[in-house]
């Protein structure tokens, strides 16, 4: 029998778990198995929860409070939305970027978002390319560089385009800001209400932020370990 290329022994047989066992592992990995505070309390507990989970999706669904606040409140008993706001600004211990959707991610993991940013410098994320959009991106980048943090409500629109959902028309500048954000040319510094405040990365990220571009192997290991830590899916055999 040929030896594996890695020189290591082949993996053993798959482990078969009952539904109850898989459910227990998943709940504990998600920090939902105990009545206590598995990640601690206060702002430190919120940051520990986000670091453990890997990300928390920013969700516009609002029943009593926006859905991402429910995610953190269910794991940090004394959670308040202000704690998350402070972690983003002024602490910059978390940042917002795309992780299958807009999400809060630990700033210590920032460099693992760089491959996606590079990808979207070559191709737009949600928009059809056009000279008008490119001109708007150039204008928004220049305004932020010159005048500092900017919200979409600060901008007098120069053109209208179809919104991402529905038939309504919206500011082309909204698309421009989104594409610049996906490219990593701007960041979300904070939010006022649910409105994003954009700024340049160099004015947002702490000086100590790691910016080394990860190799494909590093990226793969990072994402696999993150998924396993926060509760991976299982191939479950019932007993």
């Amino acid at each position: 029998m040929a030896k594996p290329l890695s020189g290591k022994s082949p993996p053993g047989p798959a482990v078969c778990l009952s539904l109850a066992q898989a459910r227990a592992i998943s709940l504990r990995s998600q920090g939902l198995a105990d009545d206590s505070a598995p990640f601690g309390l206060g702002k430190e507990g919120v940051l520990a929860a986000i670091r453990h989970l890997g990300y928390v999706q920013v969700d516009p669904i609002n029943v009593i409070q926006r859905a991402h606040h429910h995610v953190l409140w269910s794991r940090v008993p004394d959670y308040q939305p202000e704690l998350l706001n402070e972690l983003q600004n002024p602490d910059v211990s978390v940042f917002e970027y795309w992780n299958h959707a807009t999400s809060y991610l630990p700033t210590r993991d920032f460099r693992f978002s760089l491959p996606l940013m590079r990808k979207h410098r070559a191709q737009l994320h949600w928009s059809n390319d056009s000279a008008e959009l490119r001109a708007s991106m150039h204008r928004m980048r220049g305004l932020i560089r010159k005048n500092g943090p900017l919200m979409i409500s600060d901008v007098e629109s120069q053109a209208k385009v179809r919104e991402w959902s529905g038939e309504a028309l919206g500011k082309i500048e909204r698309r421009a800001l989104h594409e610049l954000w996906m490219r990593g040319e701007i960041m979300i510094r904070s939010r006022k209400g649910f409105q994003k405040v954009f700024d340049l990365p160099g004015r947002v990220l702490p000086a100590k932020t790691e910016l080394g571009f990860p190799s494909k192997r590093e990226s793969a290991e990072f994402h696999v370990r993150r998924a396993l830590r926060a509760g991976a899916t299982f191939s479950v055999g019932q007993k």
Side-chain angles (χ1 to χ4, degrees), residues 8-210:
K8 298 180 180 178
S9 301
V15 176
C16 184
L17 300 172
S18 68
L19 284 171
Q21 289 172 324
R23 187 179 299 114
I25 291 172
S26 181
L27 288 172
R28 186 168 296 279
S29 297
Q30 284 282 313
L32 295 171
D34 301 312
D35 292 332
S36 60
F39 302 109
L41 299 172
K43 192 160 59 173
E44 292 76 14
V46 177
L47 179 57
I50 295 173
R51 284 177 170 174
H52 176 83
L53 297 172
Y55 68 94
V56 173
Q57 180 179 329
V58 182
D59 203 323
I61 296 174
N62 192 347
V63 180
I64 301 177
Q65 186 55 272
R66 296 197 184 274
H68 50 279
H69 296 307
H70 290 273
V71 170
L72 293 168
W73 172 79
S74 64
R75 293 164 172 82
V76 183
D78 64 346
Y79 175 77
Q80 295 294 326
E82 292 75 18
L83 300 176
L84 180 59
N85 295 339
E86 290 178 14
L87 285 171
Q88 182 176 28
N89 182 274
D91 296 2
V92 203
S93 296
V94 300
F95 73 105
E96 289 186 53
Y97 192 59
W98 195 262
N99 195 86
H100 90 267
T102 303
S103 302
Y104 291 103
L105 300 105
T107 304
R108 70 178 186 181
D109 297 336
F110 181 84
R111 74 191 192 97
F112 292 102
S113 293
L114 294 176
L116 186 57
M117 293 175 184
R118 173 185 283 182
K119 173 186 175 182
H120 287 296
R121 286 176 188 146
Q123 66 182 66
L124 296 174
H125 181 229
W126 271 358
S127 306
N128 294 324
D129 204 352
S130 68
E132 292 79 11
L133 178 63
R134 295 285 179 174
S136 185
M137 291 168 64
H138 179 76
R139 176 180 172 233
M140 292 300 98
R141 187 168 49 237
L143 285 175
I144 293 171
R145 183 179 295 114
K146 179 180 178 181
N147 300 329
L150 175 148
M151 298 184 293
I152 187 63
S153 60
D154 298 328
V155 180
E156 183 176 345
S157 185
Q158 295 186 342
K160 299 289 184 179
V161 294
R162 295 287 181 191
E163 293 283 8
W164 285 301
S165 60
E167 295 300 316
L169 293 177
K171 294 179 176 181
I172 193 172
E173 290 80 7
R174 188 184 305 279
R175 285 183 178 270
L177 288 168
H178 176 82
E179 297 299 340
L180 289 170
W181 174 65
M182 289 299 300
R183 292 156 65 106
E185 294 188 39
I186 61 175
M187 289 186 68
I188 299 171
R189 170 180 284 277
S190 60
R191 285 182 181 253
K192 289 186 177 180
F194 204 60
Q195 190 170 171
K196 302 166 186 173
V197 180
F198 293 98
D199 203 351
L200 299 178
R203 299 199 294 236
V204 176
L205 289 172
K208 62 182 179 180
T209 306
E210 290 189 45

